[in-house]
Amino acid sequence: MTEAALVPLHIELDTRDPTVRLAVVIYNPTAGSGLGKKHVDLAAVRERFKRHGWQCGTLATRQAGDGTEACRHALAEGAAMVVAMGGDGTINEVVQALAGQEVPLGIIPTGTINILAREVGVPLDPMAAIDTIATGEPRTIDLGKANGRYFTSMIGLGYDAESILNLLPQLKAWSGPLAYWVAAFKSYIQHKAVRATLQVNYGDRTKRLRRLIYIMVVSNAGLYAGGVLKFSPEANLRDGLLDICVIRSGRWYRALYHGALTLLGRLRTVSDVEFFRAVSIEFSSSRPFPYQLDGDPVGTSPVLIEIAPAALRVMGPAAAPNPRVMMAGS
């Protein structure tokens, strides 16, 4: 295949038949919780797509950020579907180039949590996932944006992001979700609340608030940590709104209490937790406050978070769509 200008990536593809739809699978060959974790054989992936009438090329990334460039390369090569094989971090990189395109995203979930796959009804078994996306239909979903970078599921600020920063890659590769609980405990010891200003835009009005914030989670999707933690379980990928959960208290015993309520889905029962549904929120703080997008640390405050309605097409089941994501028209 010819290389796209200035893109030092190569799609592994035996032959190119322009009359057959091309699916390009983007994957990280060294991801501890990706290919190495679930032992997905690339030849089997290509054969599975071929069985459903697709031509399949595979494109390996080599370092952080390559997923975005790889997606651009796949689009330049005429891909009819760009497939992210990995976890939510891999998907996030691909989405940066795929947002606003007619070409849909396919997901082969080989990560630790796989939130977006769960939201759109893609099976967690890789081969079953291929069967679903190769024969399914596209859904149009919203994306969030934080300082211009897209996210599919959520952005977490404060304790949530600090836990991601404390995540040990080696432990994650070995133990999966256990690594997140270890990082959460370490962050609980060292994290402090911050004084912040929130500019909340509801669409028809704006409200300015000052709060002492321990953690703030802004959700585009309802699932968090695979559904174990429940910050805004009612969040929907197609409602054109962000669901915002603000936990104000920084006292250690309240943090433990809030953690228990998050597991039980009962955060709305306490007075020092606030919820908003808005189209954007601007967050500034008295000191830099870390934030993460879709499970990867990105930066520190200030940050403008906004909704990008109907910004992405995602392949899902054709016959029985997940009720959380209604079918999009063609």
Side-chain angles (χ1 to χ4, degrees):
M1 297 185 67
T2 58
E3 293 287 309
L6 303 179
V7 180
L9 298 166
H10 177 66
I11 298 176
E12 293 293 334
L13 183 64
D14 295 334
T15 59
R16 178 70 168 103
D17 183 348
T19 66
V20 179
R21 295 174 299 175
L22 173 64
V24 176
V25 177
I26 298 171
Y27 70 98
N28 179 352
T30 62
S33 54
L35 290 176
K37 187 80 169 182
K38 292 195 176 179
H39 308 291
V40 181
D41 181 72
L42 292 179
V45 168
R46 295 190 190 99
E47 180 59 32
R48 199 76 166 206
F49 272 105
K50 183 178 179 180
R51 186 184 305 177
H52 293 294
W54 287 80
Q55 194 169 201
C56 177
T58 55
L59 208 166
T61 62
R62 298 157 302 183
Q63 59 188 3
D66 264 6
T68 302
E69 203 61 42
C71 181
R72 294 193 184 103
H73 189 40
L75 292 171
E77 291 288 349
M81 175 167 54
V82 178
V83 181
M85 183 158 67
D88 293 300
T90 301
I91 292 172
N92 184 275
E93 287 198 359
V94 170
V95 162
Q96 303 310 311
L98 201 56
Q101 303 286 338
E102 286 298 311
V103 175
L105 171 73
I107 304 170
I108 302 176
T110 60
T112 305
I113 305 297
N114 306 300
I115 292 175
L116 188 60
R118 295 171 188 267
E119 285 277 355
V120 299
V122 172
L124 299 185
D125 175 77
M127 292 299 113
I130 294 173
D131 294 339
T132 296
I133 64 177
T135 62
E137 298 180 21
R139 293 133 170 79
T140 301
I141 67 169
D142 302 333
L143 293 174
K145 290 180 75 174
N147 284 350
R149 183 176 179 87
Y150 291 106
F151 61 91
T152 60
S153 301
M154 50 75 192
I155 170 175
L157 299 97
Y159 171 74
D160 172 79
E162 195 159 316
S163 296
I164 299 295
L165 289 169
N166 283 326
L167 190 65
L168 298 175
Q170 299 89 344
L171 183 60
K172 179 182 176 184
W174 174 74
S175 67
L178 175 62
Y180 289 94
W181 294 104
V182 173
F185 178 74
K186 181 179 179 181
S187 300
Y188 172 72
I189 296 173
Q190 65 189 38
H191 181 65
K192 304 294 183 184
V194 71
R195 297 198 176 279
T197 300
L198 309 178
Q199 189 91 3
V200 186
N201 178 8
Y202 297 94
D204 57 348
R205 59 192 173 90
T206 300
K207 183 184 291 186
R208 185 179 178 87
L209 307 170
R210 295 184 185 276
R211 296 288 188 270
L212 178 68
I213 294 180
Y214 187 76
I215 178 175
M216 184 172 85
V217 176
V218 181
S219 301
N220 182 45
L223 297 178
Y224 184 100
V228 175
L229 301 179
K230 301 171 181 65
F231 287 99
S232 299
E234 67 281 357
N236 189 288
L237 287 166
R238 292 200 66 215
D239 63 1
L241 294 169
L242 296 168
D243 287 68
I244 303 157
C245 173
V246 175
I247 298 179
R248 300 198 304 267
S249 176
R251 297 181 183 276
W252 68 269
Y253 55 87
R254 293 297 293 178
L256 285 177
Y257 184 48
H258 292 140
L261 292 176
T262 303
L263 287 168
L264 296 171
R266 300 190 61 194
L267 277 175
R268 291 184 180 273
T269 63
V270 290
S271 60
D272 55 356
V273 178
E274 292 181 274
F275 293 88
F276 312 98
R277 305 193 80 199
V279 297
S280 70
I281 181 168
E282 191 169 353
F283 180 100
S284 57
S285 52
S286 58
R287 58 177 169 81
F289 213 45
Y291 68 89
Q292 57 90 1
L293 300 182
D294 291 339
D296 285 331
V298 175
T300 58
S301 57
V303 57
L304 171 62
I305 308 161
E306 51 196 332
I307 195 72
L312 183 70
R313 289 161 61 82
V314 184
M315 296 299 292
N322 187 310
R324 298 182 62 85
V325 186
M326 302 300 292
M327 293 296 296
S330 57

